[in-house]
Amino acid sequence: MQKVWLYLENGMFFEANSFGASGTSVGEIVFNTSLTGYQEIITDPSYAGQFITFTMPEIGNVGVNKDDNESSKPHCSGVIVRAYNEEYSNYRAEGSLANMLKEHNIIGICDIDTRHITKTLRESGAMMMIASTEISSKEELAKKLQASPRIEDINYIKIVSTKEAYVHKSGAWNPEKLAYNPAMMSNKKVVVLDFGVKRNILNELVESGLEVEVIPSTFSGDDLIARYEAGEIGGVFLSNGPGDPLTLTEEVAEVRKLLDKNIPIFAICLGHQMLSIAHGYDTYKLKFGQHGGNHPVANKGVVEITAQNHNYSVPDNIDEVAEITHINLFDNTIEGVKYKNKPIFSVQHHPEASPGPHESKYVFAEFADMVKESK
């Protein structure tokens, strides 16, 4: 391992070891409290532009494999862990986490006090940082960080979104030939607006009986309206994704065109936030966000355990246009809404992540039923 140096915008400076790629990387540092699923977390496109600090101290012990990736590659700025295990043991493993990070030029940082970092983020909030295996000077790192754009200055969905439309046919834990059976489909196609969609979201949409077409973030709202009115599609899904939703002015403008056309719409995470903005209710940034796999959410008196990954929330006064259906029991932020007099609903958490024991995967079936009942 080689040395790596970290500088946080609050002035904190660390020396640690690197198990990933060499180089210099800038991003926003957040922490994730999940005990398992580090590969799925690292390959979630929503982490583009962020350093992921794992509170779970031992990372790497089950290696990695191609089937557990949530996207084609990791988009995060770096990975920070207390102890990295190069020797992995799992019958599904195909390689080490270190090799995956090196392959995709992602910095891996270990042998550092992640508990101290997490407590700092809880007290001071998420912040920008820089990590380098090349620069050891605190002053030089601080200067380079100050000159770098902040996460809210970058439209990351242009980086992570697909460049060409495609059809997704695989279901959850099922290869294409088993999951995609045209005779079992609802004969209703939904279009997924890819802002950084996780693969398992697409799997769950297929499992619910929908045909799934994924299109780039450079979509046209008018084209989608025309396709719906022609009966070619039965609904639209807005995906998760990275960055500050308030930077997505062009994309939100296209979403706004869909709102009064009676098109069934379902959204998760960033898509949930974009729907709020499109209705005239701007999002706000949380102190350190919600990132983990054990967040309790109340759904009309029923407590569900959810996976979370977001730094932004929709405002409380959205109840003027939507029924609030889900509330986070950690901080009382809004986790789900259903818009009044419209076939539109959304959730902030990630029902596809299946954290157990009482989950939220039913929302995919609700969307499928809505689509099947559409014109």
Side-chain angles (χ1 to χ4, degrees):
M1 291 187 182
Q2 57 184 326
K3 293 295 182 183
V4 60
W5 294 271
L6 291 70
Y7 178 81
L8 278 59
E9 67 175 314
N10 67 348
M12 295 177 66
F13 180 66
F14 300 92
E15 178 183 299
N17 288 320
S18 170
F19 66 91
S22 301
T24 301
S25 182
V26 174
E28 182 182 51
I29 180 171
V30 298
F31 65 88
N32 187 295
T33 59
S34 296
L35 299 179
T36 60
Y38 60 79
Q39 182 182 343
E40 292 89 337
I41 293 166
I42 292 169
T43 55
D44 179 352
S46 295
Y47 279 110
Q50 292 181 318
F51 285 90
I52 309 167
T53 304
F54 284 95
T55 60
M56 176 64 180
E58 300 288 338
I59 298 294
N61 51 314
V62 294
V64 297
N65 67 83
K66 65 180 187 301
D67 292 331
D68 288 347
N69 285 341
E70 287 287 5
S71 62
S72 60
K73 65 177 183 178
H75 294 279
C76 57
S77 295
V79 176
I80 304 173
V81 305
R82 175 66 187 91
Y84 169 66
N85 295 274
E86 176 63 20
E87 295 185 7
Y88 55 87
S89 177
N90 187 279
Y91 76 98
R92 298 176 65 240
E94 299 169 343
S96 70
L97 174 59
N99 284 340
M100 184 181 80
L101 296 183
K102 291 174 183 176
E103 178 184 355
H104 298 290
N105 200 32
I106 306 294
I107 288 181
I109 300 163
C110 63
D111 301 326
I112 190 170
D113 189 346
T114 51
R115 181 169 182 171
H116 177 53
I117 291 175
T118 300
K119 290 176 69 176
T120 298
L121 297 178
R122 285 180 59 87
E123 293 169 2
S124 302
M127 65 186 76
M128 296 297 292
M129 67 159 279
I130 183 171
S132 179
T133 60
E134 307 162 321
I135 306 171
S136 59
S137 166
K138 176 180 177 180
E139 291 72 25
E140 188 176 348
L141 288 171
K143 182 178 179 180
K144 192 172 183 66
L145 177 61
Q146 187 175 17
S148 300
R150 300 183 63 82
I151 192 168
E152 56 266 24
D153 298 328
I154 302 173
N155 185 335
Y156 281 101
I157 68 170
K158 292 183 178 179
I159 300 172
V160 302
S161 176
T162 183
K163 301 303 183 286
E164 296 181 358
Y166 65 93
V167 174
H168 182 87
K169 297 183 178 181
S170 298
W173 294 100
N174 293 314
E176 176 178 324
K177 63 181 181 181
L178 294 179
Y180 187 76
N181 181 352
M184 299 298 291
M185 296 290 113
S186 67
N187 295 320
K188 288 285 188 176
K189 177 185 288 186
V190 295
V191 169
V192 174
L193 307 182
D194 180 12
F195 305 126
V197 69
K198 293 172 64 179
R199 186 171 294 160
N200 209 34
I201 288 177
L202 303 179
N203 292 344
E204 291 295 344
L205 289 171
V206 170
E207 285 287 329
S208 68
L210 295 169
E211 296 187 51
V212 176
E213 177 186 346
V214 186
I215 66 173
S217 62
T218 53
F219 67 97
S220 164
D222 293 329
D223 286 349
L224 291 177
I225 293 169
R227 294 181 68 182
Y228 177 73
E229 292 178 344
E232 182 182 342
I233 63 174
V236 175
F237 175 82
L238 281 64
S239 84
N240 62 293
D244 185 345
L246 290 176
T247 66
L248 309 177
T249 55
E250 295 178 5
E251 295 82 359
V252 168
E254 295 302 314
V255 169
R256 190 174 291 118
K257 296 177 181 179
L258 309 177
L259 301 183
D260 297 317
K261 301 300 180 179
N262 207 40
I263 302 174
I265 300 175
F266 173 39
I268 289 176
C269 202
L270 179 66
H272 163 79
Q273 298 159 9
M274 292 175 68
L275 280 177
S276 175
I277 299 169
H279 279 89
Y281 295 82
D282 285 355
T283 54
Y284 66 94
K285 190 168 187 177
L286 300 170
K287 185 175 182 180
F288 49 81
Q290 305 279 12
H291 311 275
N294 58 348
H295 292 240
V297 166
N299 173 16
K300 299 178 180 178
V302 177
V303 177
E304 301 166 358
I305 302 302
T306 68
Q308 306 262 347
N309 178 24
H310 62 101
N311 272 17
Y312 301 87
S313 181
V314 303
D316 291 343
N317 66 338
I318 199 173
D319 63 0
E320 296 171 353
V321 296
E323 174 193 358
I324 297 174
T325 57
H326 298 73
I327 293 290
N328 190 302
L329 296 181
F330 280 160
D331 61 3
N332 292 318
T333 54
I334 295 172
E335 289 285 346
V337 299
K338 186 180 187 308
Y339 288 89
K340 298 175 182 178
N341 303 315
K342 296 178 181 179
I344 303 174
F345 72 105
S346 61
V347 294
Q348 180 63 77
H349 52 275
H350 283 268
E352 82 288 346
S354 306
H358 301 289
E359 302 169 342
S360 308
K361 287 172 64 171
Y362 61 84
V363 294
F364 294 102
E366 289 183 358
F367 180 51
D369 289 342
M370 185 183 295
V371 170
K372 293 170 187 176
E373 293 170 1
S374 66
K375 57 169 287 188

